[in-house]
């Protein structure tokens, strides 16, 4: 059977809403095969970006209102996408939602964008809220993409996503493991915007800056990096541990220093796990300076795929996870999240 699904992803870097339409087929001989058929990124309006960026500061009733309105917005964008590409038959939509809170140590994680609203607007079954059940089972609710990395991209030694946060997954000691490494674009984009750029194009701003080695040393010694996986990061941690440390510096110094910090942490992980070949996706894959710094610090062979996969791999995997949810098959790996067991997660609307 061939499944046609749409995956939706909104990351912490607030680049926009990624929409990926793909087909999936499973055979006994080849396992899961996929094809990306259509993909677009919907750039948020300044007003919506501001609402999402400030969502953590809202009163409860205002956050619930945004959850509903953002769900309707997502549904409307999916409907426009299906009309644009002439899509008439979809089996399911998998929506990650937009993360507002992520505090698994306190037993909760919150992604807004009500899946019921998406279904009401599109008329298509929707799987959403993938993370909460894992947190309730004692897991981190993250990372979730290792199931897709294992089943769709198992030919690579490891898969690294460079988005708001960097996260990696790989086979280790007989199981698929995965975890967040460090913040990336959630920090770099913020300080690039202070210099009038939406992001650090190619890493040129960082390359022209000077590293503050005293601050770099403090960053590299943050407690999180000594915690054994599974582990995950949230925007709250960045605000509390990172931004207060960086705010006294000039934006260009921050970009140089934090790019070096990200390269340090990523290369340490690659060396620790003896990764030989690495597939890099996410917006940070276009940061040539960051990749250059990682290459200088590791023996790992780095591969950046075609733009379609760079930009839409996470949305693709949420489409895949929704297909697994429809089939009643496990779509969360306990070895990656730290929950009590592999399980099938996501609410079905």
């Amino acid at each position: 059977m061939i499944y046609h699904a749409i995956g939706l992803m909104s990351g912490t870097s607030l680049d926009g809403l990624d929409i990926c339409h793909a087909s999936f087929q499973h055979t006994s001989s080849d396992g899961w095969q996929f094809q990306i058929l259509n993909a677009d990124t919907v750039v948020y309006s300044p007003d919506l970006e501001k609402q999402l960026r400030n969502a953590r500061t809202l009163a409860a009733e205002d956050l619930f209102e945004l959850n509903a309105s953002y769900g309707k917005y997502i549904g409307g964008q999916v409907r426009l996408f299906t009309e644009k590409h002439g899509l008439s038959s979809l089996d399911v939509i998998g929506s990650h939602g937009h993360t507002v809170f992520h505090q698994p140590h306190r037993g909760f994680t919150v992604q807004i964008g009500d899946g019921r609203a998406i279904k009401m607007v599109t008329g298509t079954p929707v799987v959403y809220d993938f993370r909460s059940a894992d947190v309730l089972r004692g897991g981190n609710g993250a990372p979730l993409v290792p199931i897709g990395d294992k089943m769709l991209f198992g030919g690579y030694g490891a898969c690294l996503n460079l988005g708001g946060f960097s996260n990696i997954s790989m086979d280790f000691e007989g199981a698929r493991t995965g975890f967040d490494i460090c913040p990336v674009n959630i920090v770099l984009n913020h300080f690039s915007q202070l210099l009038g750029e939406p992001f650090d194009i190619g890493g040129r701003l960082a390359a022209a800056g000077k590293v503050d080695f005293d601050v770099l040393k403090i960053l590299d010694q943050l407690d999180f990096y000594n915690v054994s996986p599974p582990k995950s990061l949230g925007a709250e941690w960045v605000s509390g541990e990172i931004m207060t440390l960086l705010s006294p510096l000039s934006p260009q110094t921050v970009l140089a220093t934090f790019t070096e910090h990200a390269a340090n942490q990523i290369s340490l992980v690659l060396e620790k796990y003896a990764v030989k070949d690495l597939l890099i996706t996410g917006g940070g894959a276009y940061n040539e300076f960051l990749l250059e710094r990682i290459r200088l610090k590791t023996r790992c062979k780095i591969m950046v795929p075609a733009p379609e996969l760079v930009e839409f791999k996470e949305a693709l995997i949420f489409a895949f996870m929704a297909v697994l949810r429809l089939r009643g098959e496990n779509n969360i790996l306990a070895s990656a999240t730290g929950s009590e067991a592999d399980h099938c997660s996501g609410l079905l609307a």
Side-chain angles (χ1 to χ4, degrees):
M1 179 177 178
I2 298 177
Y3 295 89
H4 287 268
I6 281 179
L8 306 171
M9 182 67 197
S10 174
T12 49
S13 54
L14 285 168
D15 297 330
L17 176 68
D18 291 337
I19 307 177
C20 180
H21 169 222
S23 63
F24 301 92
Q25 185 174 20
H26 185 270
T27 65
S28 56
S29 58
D30 298 324
W32 282 101
Q33 303 295 314
F34 73 90
Q35 183 178 2
I36 295 178
L37 303 172
N38 304 283
D40 290 327
T41 295
V42 180
V43 178
Y44 292 133
S45 68
D47 180 61
L48 180 54
E49 179 183 343
K50 182 178 179 181
Q51 288 184 67
L52 295 174
R53 189 178 302 280
N54 296 331
R56 288 189 297 120
T57 67
L58 295 177
E61 60 268 29
D62 294 325
L63 182 60
F64 290 138
E65 180 182 12
L66 181 59
N67 179 49
S69 64
Y70 181 56
K72 291 178 182 178
Y73 168 85
I74 293 174
Q77 294 303 320
V78 172
R79 188 169 62 186
L80 290 172
F81 177 88
T82 59
E83 292 171 355
K84 173 183 175 181
H85 295 289
L87 309 184
S88 57
S89 178
L90 286 172
D91 295 295
V92 69
I93 295 169
S95 178
H96 171 270
H98 187 81
T99 299
V100 178
F101 300 109
H102 184 66
Q103 299 183 33
H105 61 286
R106 297 179 63 188
F108 69 88
T109 182
V110 177
Q111 287 73 44
I112 60 171
D114 198 317
R116 296 165 298 183
I118 300 172
K119 182 183 179 182
M120 288 174 62
V121 176
T122 63
T124 301
V126 176
V127 181
Y128 67 108
D129 194 12
F130 287 93
R131 298 186 186 274
S132 293
D134 186 76
V135 171
L136 292 171
R137 289 172 177 262
N140 276 270
L144 300 187
V145 296
I147 186 72
D149 290 344
K150 180 179 179 65
M151 294 187 172
L152 303 180
F153 302 98
Y156 295 94
C159 295
L160 176 71
N161 177 67
L162 292 177
F165 297 92
S166 59
N167 49 70
I168 194 168
S169 84
M170 66 214 123
D171 287 332
F172 181 69
E173 296 183 344
R176 192 77 185 187
T177 188
F179 52 92
D180 285 347
I181 298 177
C182 63
V184 183
N185 291 337
I186 190 173
V187 174
L188 298 182
N189 288 4
H190 173 77
F191 286 95
S192 295
Q193 288 159 16
L194 296 180
L195 293 173
E197 299 289 347
F199 55 92
D200 188 1
I201 301 170
R204 293 196 293 266
L205 294 172
K210 292 185 178 180
V211 173
D212 185 318
F213 288 99
D214 292 332
V215 172
L216 177 64
K217 183 178 180 180
I218 297 171
L219 287 169
D220 284 339
Q221 292 177 347
L222 289 172
D223 289 343
F224 176 82
Y225 302 124
N226 295 317
V227 175
S228 298
K231 56 182 179 177
S232 61
L233 289 165
E236 304 97 313
W237 185 85
V238 174
S239 296
E241 298 285 344
I242 300 290
M243 291 306 192
T244 53
L245 180 62
L246 298 180
S247 58
L249 305 180
S250 71
Q252 192 135 28
T253 299
V254 169
L255 292 171
T257 303
F258 204 81
T259 297
E260 190 70 7
H261 168 64
N264 283 348
Q265 296 306 317
I266 291 167
S267 61
L268 284 171
V269 168
L270 296 177
E271 291 297 298
K272 178 180 179 179
Y273 288 89
V275 176
K276 295 181 179 179
D277 59 306
L278 178 71
L279 179 70
I280 297 186
T281 56
Y286 296 130
N287 188 325
E288 297 167 4
F289 181 62
L290 174 58
L291 266 58
E292 175 187 323
R293 298 303 299 159
I294 295 171
R295 286 190 177 100
L296 287 172
K297 298 171 184 290
T298 177
R299 294 162 290 180
C300 179
K301 179 182 178 182
I302 291 175
M303 289 161 286
V304 178
E308 186 177 61
L309 200 54
V310 167
E311 296 167 21
F312 296 101
K313 176 173 169 279
E314 282 200 305
L316 168 75
I317 290 179
F318 277 97
F320 177 60
M321 291 174 65
V323 169
L324 294 178
R325 172 67 176 82
L326 277 187
R327 290 165 59 95
E329 298 176 7
N330 288 340
N331 58 6
I332 306 289
L333 298 178
S335 58
T337 68
S339 62
E340 58 191 15
D342 294 349
H343 56 281
C344 184
S345 188
L347 299 178
L348 178 60

